[in-house]
Amino acid sequence: MSQMNRRRALQLLAALGTTGLVAGCGSDTDDEGAPAPGSPIKIGLIVPSAGPNKAIGDDLVHGFQLFLNLHEQRLGGHPVTVVTAEEGNEAKSGKAAVDRLVKDGVLALTGVASSTVLAGVRDTVEQARVPLISSNASPASLASVVYIWRTSYVLDEPGRALGQYLREQFKDASTRIAIIAPEGLSSDDVIAGFKKGYEKGRQLANDPIFTPDDPNPGKNAYAGAIQRALAQRPDAILCNYAGTAAVQFIKQLYDEGYEGPLYAPGFLTEGTVLSELDDGDGGKQRNRIIEYGIETTLNYSPDLNNTANRVFASAYRKTFNASPTTYAMASYDAAQVLDKAIRLAGADPTPQQLNLALGKIGQIDSPRGTWQFNQPRTPQQKWYLRKVQLDGRMLSNVVINELATLG
């Protein structure tokens, strides 16, 4: 907000129907003047337009575009052209996207929904010496890469936050927690983080149960794995699913007779998952979710009560007729990060100058709460405990506690 002049703030508040925020808006110029126009720049946005990550890709586009909408289509005073490129589902397609955008002369890259794609483009980005501000999950193995920054989180962090919380909740070392997760890099990092936060002198009784990493599983895809987990007679279950896989896992878990709490990183219930669980069965799934409980850890929830989030969430709902997700929020913050860094980099910045400026931007006034980059180029940020509850007649993620600050 400090980078909007008073006139722009008034326009924004009028558009949102919001009051009481103007006093907090500073000014880069006097009340009557406008920022001096900078030279046009291009930003490359890498997202999937099809496949299992399309919904995340749409949110990344929406979050980035919303920031531009609220800032006159400028970053750091420069008019912006956003050039999109297809991410695909593998390293090869991600590399092709990076190569095309670099050839097109972009000042910076952003987006990337898949952690597998992000890991796969590491060397390409480093060789191009063009900064990439990734706005979704990042493998722990990518810490401290010179030209890759994250506005989301490192994949082991939701597990660490959840592990620390459950260690306090389940003080009895004999507590049985069953872990079920899809095979892959994401689950490896989440589980490693959970063990780091939870064990500390005690060990989980059983090894994790892995399922195929299928983005569109069938109605019985998880039955066998769930039955093996229930044979452990667990006091709680930890899982790591998202999207369609999350919907199917939760349904099948209850269909197999589980009647206990379910814990997971927050993407288990992000996006349209809760509406899909609450659709077409006469409220059966809703009742089981409320009775047994689903709690998740995440760095964002649309009900957070801070000024930046009230502006962001209100504008997002008005523009896209949906509640913002952590994916949209992180992409919005990627634009905010670029806005600050480009302003610091000078009148005609190069990608290399911009990369240096990224390390000097300081705190970000984000919808998730204030955060800043740490030395490995990831956010030092708060994590929140969310519980699925009824909001009116709809299932919703509601923040019930503030957990650790990680990063």
Side-chain angles (χ1 to χ4, degrees):
M1 296 291 288
S2 64
Q3 293 175 348
M4 287 192 294
N5 61 35
R6 185 172 297 272
R7 178 180 298 172
R8 180 59 187 151
L10 289 170
Q11 291 170 344
L12 172 58
L13 294 173
L16 296 180
T18 310
T19 61
L21 304 182
V22 180
C25 299
S27 173
D28 289 335
T29 65
D30 59 33
D31 288 357
E32 298 300 319
S39 56
I41 59 173
K42 292 181 182 179
I43 301 295
L45 180 58
I46 303 170
V47 290
S49 61
N53 287 327
K54 180 184 183 301
I56 297 176
D58 290 344
D59 285 353
L60 298 183
V61 172
H62 291 164
F64 198 85
Q65 187 59 56
L66 183 64
F67 186 91
L68 293 180
N69 290 351
L70 299 181
H71 293 80
E72 301 176 340
Q73 306 300 316
R74 292 173 178 268
L75 292 176
H78 296 256
V80 175
T81 298
V82 177
V83 185
T84 59
E86 174 59 44
E87 175 180 327
N89 299 313
E90 57 187 9
K92 182 179 179 180
S93 55
K95 289 178 181 177
V98 171
D99 285 339
R100 181 171 75 78
L101 292 170
V102 169
K103 186 177 180 180
D104 202 21
V106 298
L107 180 64
L109 304 161
T110 189
V112 187
S114 165
S115 57
T116 299
V117 171
L118 183 60
V121 303
R122 168 183 175 160
D123 291 344
T124 306
V125 171
E126 290 287 272
Q127 290 165 10
R129 300 176 67 208
V130 174
L132 166 61
I133 297 86
S134 172
S135 40
N136 197 28
S138 172
S141 59
L142 282 184
S144 299
V145 177
V146 175
Y147 278 88
I148 296 181
W149 306 72
R150 272 84 28 163
T151 56
S152 52
Y153 47 83
V154 179
L155 279 168
D156 65 348
E157 290 177 347
R160 285 171 57 195
L162 194 53
Q164 292 174 20
Y165 167 70
L166 291 185
R167 182 178 174 82
E168 293 298 316
Q169 292 296 110
F170 300 129
K171 294 185 181 296
D172 188 343
S174 65
T175 298
R176 296 183 297 272
I177 299 177
I179 300 176
I180 312 176
E183 298 172 322
L185 183 61
S186 172
S187 292
D188 291 345
D189 279 349
V190 167
I191 293 169
F194 179 78
K195 289 182 176 180
K196 185 175 182 179
Y198 180 79
E199 291 186 332
K200 295 182 180 177
R202 61 182 179 184
Q203 286 187 312
L204 294 165
N206 300 97
D207 292 333
I209 297 170
F210 290 105
T211 62
D213 187 12
D214 184 352
N216 293 296
K219 293 184 178 181
N220 296 306
Y222 302 122
I226 291 169
Q227 290 166 7
R228 293 198 301 275
L230 295 184
Q232 300 174 11
R233 301 180 63 188
D235 299 294
I237 287 180
L238 169 71
C239 71
N240 181 43
Y241 295 93
T244 301
V247 174
Q248 285 298 330
F249 177 80
I250 294 170
K251 286 182 177 180
Q252 292 173 40
L253 181 67
Y254 293 137
D255 288 345
E256 291 296 327
Y258 181 61
E259 297 182 350
L262 177 62
Y263 299 96
F267 23 82
L268 180 75
T269 54
E270 278 293 274
T272 62
V273 171
L274 292 179
S275 62
E276 292 180 47
L277 285 169
D278 202 19
D279 185 37
D281 67 353
K284 182 179 179 181
Q285 292 293 345
R286 177 199 305 174
N287 293 339
R288 291 192 290 193
I289 289 169
I290 297 303
E291 180 178 359
Y292 305 132
I294 297 178
E295 294 184 5
T296 64
T297 54
L298 204 60
N299 59 348
Y300 176 69
S301 184
D303 64 332
L304 289 174
N305 187 20
N306 62 64
T307 299
N309 190 48
R310 287 194 294 271
V311 171
F312 167 69
S314 176
Y316 195 92
R317 291 186 180 105
K318 286 177 181 288
T319 304
F320 303 111
N321 195 31
S323 290
T325 62
T326 188
Y327 317 120
M329 177 278 298
S331 191
Y332 179 89
D333 273 5
Q336 186 173 188
V337 161
L338 284 168
D339 182 61
K340 294 187 73 172
I342 291 169
R343 200 173 299 275
L344 287 173
D348 191 19
T350 66
Q352 296 76 38
Q353 290 168 337
L354 178 60
N355 199 63
L356 290 173
L358 285 164
K360 303 175 183 178
I361 61 175
Q363 291 188 332
I364 299 296
D365 186 16
S366 167
R368 77 188 85 176
T370 302
W371 66 270
Q372 62 187 18
F373 283 122
N374 59 16
Q375 188 172 5
R377 292 165 164 75
T378 62
Q380 185 178 37
Q381 62 187 327
K382 293 177 182 177
W383 285 83
Y384 302 95
L385 181 69
R386 313 185 309 173
K387 186 171 185 177
V388 177
Q389 297 180 347
L390 283 176
D391 182 7
R393 300 186 63 181
M394 297 179 61
L395 291 174
S396 181
N397 295 298
V398 178
V399 172
I400 60 173
N401 199 3
E402 185 177 300
L403 301 177
T405 296
L406 300 176

